[in-house]
Amino acid sequence: MSSREEPTLTIFQRGAPGRRAFAAPVLDVPPAPDDALPADLRRATPAALPEVSEPELVRHYVNLSKRNFDLDSGFYPLGSCTMKHNPRLHERVAALPGHARLHPLQDPARAQGALELMWNLQQALGEVAGLPHVSLQPSAGSHGELAGVLLTRAYHEDRGEQRTKVLTPDTAHGTNPATVTMAGYEVVKVGTNADGGVDLDDLRAQADEQVACLMLTNPSTLGLFDANIAEIAEIVHGVGATLYYDGANLNAIMGITRPGDMGFDIVHFNLHKSFTQPHGGGGPGSGPIAVSERIEPYLMRPQVVRREDGGFDLDHERPKSIGRLRGFQGNYGCFVRAYAYIRSLGAEGLKDASETAVLNANYLLALLKREGVAEYLPVAYDRLCMHEFVLSGAPMKRELGIRTLDLAKRLLDHGVHPPTVYFPLLVEEALLIEPTETETRETLEQFAETIAELLREAAEDPELARNAPTSTPVRRLDEAAAAKRPVIRQELAAAG
Amino acid sequence: MSSREEPTLTIFQRGAPGRRAFAAPVLDVPPAPDDALPADLRRATPAALPEVSEPELVRHYVNLSKRNFDLDSGFYPLGSCTMKHNPRLHERVAALPGHARLHPLQDPARAQGALELMWNLQQALGEVAGLPHVSLQPSAGSHGELAGVLLTRAYHEDRGEQRTKVLTPDTAHGTNPATVTMAGYEVVKVGTNADGGVDLDDLRAQADEQVACLMLTNPSTLGLFDANIAEIAEIVHGVGATLYYDGANLNAIMGITRPGDMGFDIVHFNLHKSFTQPHGGGGPGSGPIAVSERIEPYLMRPQVVRREDGGFDLDHERPKSIGRLRGFQGNYGCFVRAYAYIRSLGAEGLKDASETAVLNANYLLALLKREGVAEYLPVAYDRLCMHEFVLSGAPMKRELGIRTLDLAKRLLDHGVHPPTVYFPLLVEEALLIEPTETETRETLEQFAETIAELLREAAEDPELARNAPTSTPVRRLDEAAAAKRPVIRQELAAAG
Amino acid sequence: MTTYTSATDADRRAMLDAIGVPSVEELFADVPQALRLDRPLALPAGMAEQEVYEHLRGLAARNVSAEDEVSFLGAGMYDHYVPAVIDMLMGRSEFLTPYTPYQPEISQGGLQVMFEYQTAISELTGLPVSNASVYEGPSAVGAAAYLAKLANGRLRVLASRGVHPYSRETLTTLARGYGQQIEEIPLREGATDLAALIAALDEDVGAVVLQQPNFLGAVEDVAALAAAAKQSGPTHPLVICACDPIPLGILKPPGECGVDIAVGEGQTLGNRLDFGGPSFGFFAATQEHLRRMPGRIAGETVDVDGRRGFVLTLQTREQHIRREKATSNICTSQALNALAGVVYLSWLGRAGLVELGELLLARTAYARERLTLLDGVEALHEQPVVREFALRLDADVARVRERLAAEGINAGYALGRDYPEHPDGLLVAITERRTRADIDRLADALGRAVAAEREVAHAGVGA
Amino acid sequence: MTTYTSATDADRRAMLDAIGVPSVEELFADVPQALRLDRPLALPAGMAEQEVYEHLRGLAARNVSAEDEVSFLGAGMYDHYVPAVIDMLMGRSEFLTPYTPYQPEISQGGLQVMFEYQTAISELTGLPVSNASVYEGPSAVGAAAYLAKLANGRLRVLASRGVHPYSRETLTTLARGYGQQIEEIPLREGATDLAALIAALDEDVGAVVLQQPNFLGAVEDVAALAAAAKQSGPTHPLVICACDPIPLGILKPPGECGVDIAVGEGQTLGNRLDFGGPSFGFFAATQEHLRRMPGRIAGETVDVDGRRGFVLTLQTREQHIRREKATSNICTSQALNALAGVVYLSWLGRAGLVELGELLLARTAYARERLTLLDGVEALHEQPVVREFALRLDADVARVRERLAAEGINAGYALGRDYPEHPDGLLVAITERRTRADIDRLADALGRAVAAEREVAHAGVGA
Ligand SMILES: Cc1ncc(COP(=O)(O)O)c(C=O)c1O
Ligand SMILES: Cc1ncc(COP(=O)(O)O)c(C=O)c1O
């Protein structure tokens, strides 16, 4: 329970001049000589940071935390985000000083534990992807995508080719086209066929020598596995392009099938999805990539390597490398967690995770095909799904007069995080539902019940959904106003 | 925010047969021979513990936690309990493996850090109490009281005296008389005079050779400092009895005056109050005692001692000791926290804490003397208070028709923890208010505002208070029914 | 002003004005000048957070913890693995910082945890009534003896010599207050001597106190001992049994052995060693003693809307209501540690507690066999053991332990101080953290150490 | 079934029935048999929690962390003290586990934190516009260069050699995608060569990239450098400055130096070293670039009842709406680390940030003087320094560092690999955790090590 004191005051609006949570360590050296820092390089007035005591600081942020919904409190079927349970063991091991206080520039000889961990993780991810060479460097999925497309560019350029286009399906996640642009390519869309797969004819039509790469998610963002993947790979490789695997949906296939075996050249992982990093309300994440032999020479610097003597080292040479995409060796803290997860589950456990994720998704889909729901929220592609599935709210909108957004907001009043809404774009009023493997059968049944109940309710009184939520700390917010006159920082009263 | 799933199911009502959060380590030895444990000593059916997966376990308890009000969320002026801020530094240092995984029977030679910490804490507590000899053993205040009265008994018996009575003021906390009985003495009440102090005449009348001890709290549970303390000590010592200091209210006087200097022979500390242990919803606590020279010989075993060579040891001998009151060396984890607190604040900081605690209490009292409040909630003893003060709800009950209990419950709807109510017993409809030093002036003003507002509200519609709370996870609970037909454990469906 | 207080000079001035006194000094007018401390407390100056951290880290570094050595120390507290979920839950402000739940409407979390805890303890012990925790193990034994006095007023208490020395000493300390007298029932071949018990029983005996497993690791035939006590006459004494909760997963629960009150040290249930505390004591009894129980008890009820809820119940037993007539003086108890206990038991679960018990049984059997095969090492007794066992060394135990300590192994607890009759006794404890490799390492090192000490002894320079 | 999943065999059967397939296998019908993995993954078997803990602890034990040695390593990440409140807050499920706040009504906590963070960064940098975080330092520099391209389309980028080598390398990597070409402005006596910058400027230059303090620890005259860039013509390039936020407490903020975009590594603000991440990058700019900013931005608004609230705003910049026309591809960022950042800045507070800066200034001055007094040790440059400085050793740096490492001291970062022109360079970093005693210890050990190495060298066995 949270206090009723005005909760939306920012930390800058609390406290009073002179209050403090920080006590400075004793000045145990002579004060710096005046000329140590010339006056014209000095700051004139202190930054107007908050002035609060420790108790004020703690209460402010503890009470703020209580205005968040979290995975440890309820169901969070946010499609494409794989909101699986975050084991606290991972936080414990990541916090061990030997990991947490290890400086990134520590001599490799004195960071053998960390390098071995990274090496082991590289091996494991390579095995899961079916692609032998791994770089852990990228900071998130989209960072991995950028790495992948830049690798593609390096690959082609090394072969003297200047290709100009990258293909992405119209179901692709926004980061795919955005990445393509940043990597200096032109985005070309590929259509989707009737059963949710890549439209092969369209693909053949588009695929030419100017195509550098096809970026694909399989299972797709529709939660469907594209059975034509072998043929797709053939077409893409036929024109000398690379095939990129967006790994956001890897949670469906771990230990069952492997991108490398499907013909992909480059894969990115979202460790914060398939390998259960806590999402932190928007990061941190980690987006390692795995690549095939032909792409390996261009992989980022530095690489963790194993020396003959069994020791580990960082290889900064790599003449053909595209270089680095960030500082140091990547989000090591995430590696520790992902590695702990892999060692906890092992080969069997990872496969069990994917199987159960797919089982849970299909079970929930089956529950939602019941009368009273299916008429309003039909599944977009009526087949077995993988780890997630897409419903269309179009009939609901037509017949009950409430939009997918309204349903989502009404779910908030029932302590459930709504599914991903209005994505993928090609399904009207889409709801993308991903239960993950860590939810119980009871939770899935409860959710299906709730959906049915909300639809019944909407049939009687659609206003309830249109005005939802009502039980949340705030109700619907005026996003238009926020964008029209952006207020993106606290204005301060005349500096105290 | 918490999920809406039925929150009052117990962990025993969740899960399903076969689910588990625990994976057993590999059996790396041969299975035990059958005769290792004779069948008739074996358990026939497993204890019917919960069967839940880790995600279920986490969600259950995280959601339960959200049904608690806590000190980090709002004002908690619970009189006599000293709900001061709990620094998280203390949790960090207590969790260091060198402290947290130290076995209590580790050889002293290999536990020097722990023994030094305990020694330092003993020295510091002795200095604060003004009594040189300290035992850290007792587990809480009442445990310290029991130690103190048993020490008194040992002291008298060693001098060949069999005394039978212990005096306690009628303002005493319940643990005082309860302790006296457990220590085999008869409780004799001493009255309170007009300005809230010990009634000296009554004391003189009661004090005779049969009296073993007077247990006193100073400042008293009324939040008043008894200026006659020197005379009281004289009377008590005059009949050869000991003077016991209930340290629950020490937060008012640290660095300002000392029980030893007032003439007390034995003091208990509530480390979980004055020295900010988190209360944990009812413990753990720690109740060290400090004693004078004449009591020292009887102090509990073992004692931390400093050897000539500067090393530390545990002294198990102590021929006249009353022995031990519990296992091992006491609640060491609490010692670490209390010691960290003392080292963080230092001499100045401890005094500042007491001064600010008294300042905050008097300021809040001043704010509550305003018109619109004072008529209904007059202060029981109209003088300067120490760290807490007592209001009487009697006029409020008479004129507004709401009881102290109703006001308390209504406060819950405003995100404030009510003060201690109906204690001390001798003030009608008592509210015992202790803001502590770590609250801000704004919080005190807000609280006074809220009280005034609730009284205005009650004048208009007392039902609101009588029916309060309405915004809490549950509303008023039927305590009578709970006591009449006690249900104190979850009944289980036929063991799954 | 410190970093924990907020009263700036401006605040102080305004507040003093409102109070109507010129200075903070004035607020202490009631404190006679003569009693004022006219100097600062003789304590070191305050330090910044990081400095306190470094200081406490320095002290921690001077302890050899179970993180630093392979430890076979037990004797009442055991180095079990504490799952990470417990740290997380105990660290949540909502569990960590509240006081005892005096306002149930805003304390349902803590109250329900108590209710669940009581259920788990009841299941574990096979007794219907559990309170919400007492301080710790030995004082729980003391509390049980007090309940016996309340129940039957008799003053003789018979305690097996197999009961933890600290429990027996606590009983003795408290007996002076309770007016009880504690008498000891000897051990025979490592277990409580049934004949001696029977001989000692009479109608003045108010309680018989046992421990399961006993201090020497032996699994007692509690049922037989309890039966003897009950046959001692129509109005028999109460049978109190202190239990290690972990082996209760595979041992016959006290409730099925005729025990009236089961108590014990709860540290092994999800609590850290913490050099001895804080942990918790559990306290369970038969139905008839419900209203004599010490401490808090959570009970189920409904709110005005009929919603299920929980409260502290049967408070008329307690000091704040009953005062000198209370069944106990306990107030602050060990709620947070008991939370860890019930979370731990739920984490282990129905199957896990048994699996853990079987694992310990197997490793203990392995270790006992492995070690007693060593020259100069023999079993101190042949009783069944489940997680700890006693050895007799043909060498100076202290020096042997030193030798192993030098190798980073804590060999266990030397029995000599508490059991002068066993100057050569060593108590070895096993947990799931001690792997076969650890046990083999112990065996190897112990074998060498004993051999070396015997040589020294023979060489005559043993003293 | 693992301990993280709940589908028992009974559950599975019932669920499969409801789905209408006979087996889980069947659910994967769409995956062509040829592509199925016909063997288990070649990974070790799963382990129990305690086994994983021990394994990870074993790996941690094979690292020498700042807990194990006295470390003067900096060069981009620094061993500052992280206050305990940050662990507590980052550990709260409510902050730790949610996804990006797509549903603002149930994400006000996280959104307000972003808003407060943006305010703090804006105050720190003296620039009005901040986003809610980017990945980390060097990629933030890359993101800034991309903004410059969006803003003025020019392809020449001038980067000072004082910019972190990793930032320059990242710029170069990204430049292949951006179509930019990166050119370096040399250093002169440790600071960016103003004349060289002026000479290199022309109307094709889209951005000038600086770092404050620069990699060699020198405090740059950013105002002068920025002024030069702006005088380069009517449509001048954007000035990008990568800043270490800690010294910004005492250094003139970039916003007052004519900087258009200030970015930097946020690790020093309440984040752990974590062997390089996760931390966060901050990104602040002038008003005109608001709609070109990368990543998330939280904005204030009101709900239907007029209550203050916060949302992700200006999303039309972002990939999920704008797709190929987005100002960046960033999606998951570093929200939790940015939370640590704003909590840390609030913990330090207005006065604390200055006090910390002054403490570092004083200790750095002390250390620089102390060390440069040693034989064979001299300052690599004489520029003002505030928390880190470069030395030139008259001895083999690698071997000197080895000698100190053997004494439990990490002497700092060897400049040779990144700055071949300084094979004898050593970069020494100071934080509030490095006391005078630590510095004296370093001085003593460094003096001995340099002397020893010089002897070796003279003895001619130097190679
Ligand atoms: C299909 C897909 N691709 C890529 C991404 C981008 O991953 P990240 O957020 O880690 O950059 C996401 C994340 O939502 C995604 O769902
Ligand atoms: C005045 C007083 N004395 C004694 C006690 C008992 O202390 P404890 O709860 O630590 O046993 C209390 C606690 O409420 C108290 O307020």
Side-chain angles (χ1 to χ4, degrees), chain A residues 80 140-142 145 173 175 221 246 248 268 270 272-273, chain D residues 99 331-332:
Chain A
S80 208
S142 64
E145 294 172 31
H173 188 266
T175 51
T221 60
D246 177 335
H268 88 250
N270 300 73
H272 44 297
K273 296 179 179 181
Chain D
Y99 204 77
C331 181
T332 292

Side-chain angles (χ1 to χ4, degrees), chain B residues 80 140-142 145 173 175 221 246 248 268 270 272-273, chain C residues 99 331-332:
Chain B
S80 205
S142 63
E145 294 173 33
H173 188 265
T175 51
T221 59
D246 177 334
H268 88 249
N270 301 71
H272 44 296
K273 295 178 180 181
Chain C
Y99 204 76
C331 181
T332 292

Side-chain angles (χ1 to χ4, degrees), chain A residues 50-61:
Chain A
E51 298 184 86
V52 294
S53 62
E54 182 175 303
E56 289 179 281
L57 183 68
V58 167
R59 259 192 208 160
H60 176 74
Y61 285 106

Side-chain angles (χ1 to χ4, degrees), chain A residues 126-131 229-230 233 243 255-265 267, chain D residues 34-39 41:
Chain A
E127 167 69 3
V128 170
L131 290 166
I229 185 60
L243 189 56
I256 292 155
T257 176
R258 311 193 302 170
D261 302 341
M262 299 180 209
F264 286 90
D265 300 280
V267 170
Chain D
L35 300 182
R36 304 269 183 106
L37 187 65
D38 55 7
R39 57 167 177 85
L41 288 167

